[in-house]
Amino acid sequence: MQQSRSAPRNAREPRARSLAWSFPGTPADVSCSRHWLAMAATEVWGDCDDTDRLVLAYSEIATNTVVHGAGPVTVAARICPTSARCEIADQSARLPTARHATPADVGGRGLEMVQHTVDRLQVAADRAGKTVSFEVGRQNG
């Protein structure tokens, strides 16, 4: 008699991942944390367009936080099988504003791109600083 080695019923279902980190606020911090988020999203969602949307939005918001905000920067992310939520906070109360860049502009497209990429974008500010949060729902898979 041959023994079956099938996986337990739920072994193939992706699990939710929660991540939290804090960094001083340098471009290298954004790069490292972007890779960390991409690895976690790939574990849950695989290598797909939704993972790319999540990582793109994170990269743009985190970069804006480093360039226009004040460190330290704290991040919390939760990636579930059907959606992801990410919160990025810093100690500046200066709110992000979307610009309408001209073709000749080198920058100024990030926030507008995020608005078109994510399903929900929120900004909250108080005396301690601001938090930018966004949600990406699964469109694939």
Side-chain angles (χ1 to χ4, degrees):
M1 182 165 148
Q2 188 172 7
Q3 191 173 15
S4 174
R5 292 186 180 214
S6 60
R9 185 172 176 202
N10 294 331
R12 295 179 189 211
E13 292 179 13
R15 294 182 180 172
R17 293 287 313 264
S18 293
L19 305 125
W21 59 93
S22 181
F23 55 82
T26 69
D29 297 324
V30 174
S31 179
C32 290
S33 60
R34 178 179 55 242
H35 291 296
W36 191 26
L37 180 65
M39 288 180 1
T42 301
E43 276 184 27
V44 178
W45 291 352
D47 189 15
C48 64
D49 290 342
D50 295 324
T51 298
D52 292 343
R53 290 188 317 126
L54 175 65
V55 174
L56 171 70
Y58 172 76
S59 183
E60 291 296 331
I61 298 297
T63 298
N64 284 351
T65 301
V66 167
V67 172
H68 303 291
V73 176
T74 57
V75 179
R78 176 140 176 94
I79 306 161
C80 300
T82 59
S83 65
R85 178 173 175 80
C86 192
E87 297 178 352
I88 304 162
D90 72 287
Q91 295 184 350
S92 170
R94 181 179 175 195
L95 299 177
T97 56
R99 289 183 33 202
H100 297 288
T102 68
D105 290 337
V106 174
R109 294 172 183 81
L111 190 57
E112 186 175 11
M113 186 170 35
V114 168
Q115 290 171 326
H116 292 292
T117 301
V118 302
D119 298 311
R120 186 174 183 177
L121 177 67
Q122 293 180 298
V123 179
D126 59 22
R127 290 183 179 161
K130 70 177 164 301
T131 301
V132 178
S133 60
F134 64 89
E135 296 175 18
V136 173
R138 286 298 309 270
Q139 295 176 352
N140 300 327

